[in-house]
Amino acid sequence: MFETRSITPDVTLRIVQPGDAAVLAEAYRRNREHLAPWEPLRDEEFFSERFQREDIERRLIATAAGEGYPLALVDGTEIIGRFDLAAISRGPFQSAGLGYWADRNHLGRGLAPAAVGAIVAEARETLRLHRTEASTLVHNTASPQPPPGHPAQLAPEVAAAHHRGRRNHRGRTVTGASILPA
């Protein structure tokens, strides 16, 4: 189970709770334009408190089953980022996927790399995962960078994706990266 972790003296990383729905909906509305190039197409309902509460409740059921962890990066009472360790696979794979975003007003502070580093450490130490995989879009030049002190290996399909033309709903080339815990 993920414990709350301090990322900086003012910023913490913790599991999202149903009571976060209004603040999370506001964070998504505040970052709607900022996230548009990276996120799936969203209808208006997604940005509502009701949708966020129901989504959080679904994700917490998956957490109870050991399938994933919905996390919030919090500064005071404001959610400034969302991180999801999802699709936890046990057996020989011992892996999970990681998706995340950071608030446009908090970029360049090293918060996302620090949070990713904390998640990877928790995944390795507590969950005993061998690999945490994060996918990114080729044009997202900030996300493919590994967190400081953590080795990362770009998956072989990075170059091949350009040739195959694998594209998302916005016509952007998708690639993959694996963050490999040491």
Side-chain angles (χ1 to χ4, degrees):
M1 186 63 140
F2 273 84
E3 299 294 326
T4 298
R5 289 193 180 212
S6 291
I7 301 301
T8 71
D10 299 323
V11 176
T12 58
L13 180 69
R14 63 170 174 75
I15 292 185
V16 180
Q17 298 300 313
D20 293 327
V23 178
L24 183 56
E26 171 55 32
Y28 274 113
R29 287 190 298 269
R30 183 176 63 247
N31 286 281
R32 187 177 197 161
E33 186 176 319
H34 165 63
L35 296 175
W38 326 114
E39 292 270 303
L41 297 173
R42 306 283 192 194
D43 59 24
E44 285 304 314
E45 181 185 17
F46 176 84
F47 299 94
S48 72
E49 179 180 349
R50 182 182 61 77
F51 180 92
Q52 292 304 319
R53 185 180 317 101
E54 291 171 358
D55 186 60
I56 290 168
E57 290 168 355
R58 280 189 299 274
R59 291 174 190 270
L60 291 175
I61 290 169
T63 298
E67 298 169 357
Y69 294 89
L71 304 162
L73 194 60
V74 181
D75 186 353
T77 59
E78 182 180 42
I79 291 179
I80 61 170
R82 275 282 284 115
F83 296 74
D84 281 295
L85 188 65
I88 293 175
S89 176
R90 294 301 183 177
F93 290 114
Q94 297 294 329
S95 66
L98 177 63
Y100 62 93
W101 61 265
D103 189 293
R104 64 184 165 89
N105 295 323
H106 296 272
L107 299 177
R109 295 176 52 194
L111 297 173
V116 168
I119 293 165
V120 169
E122 186 79 11
R124 178 185 64 243
E125 296 161 12
T126 304
L127 300 176
R128 301 289 187 223
L129 299 180
H130 301 166
R131 179 175 65 223
T132 305
E133 299 176 0
S135 294
T136 188
L137 299 171
V138 170
H139 71 285
N140 187 348
T141 58
S143 285
Q145 305 308 313
H150 291 274
Q153 179 180 1
L154 290 178
E157 61 269 15
V158 170
H162 292 286
H163 300 296
R164 287 195 310 266
R166 218 169 82 207
R167 306 223 176 248
N168 72 358
H169 64 280
R170 294 185 189 273
R172 306 285 188 160
T173 303
V174 179
T175 188
S178 295
I179 300 169
L180 305 173

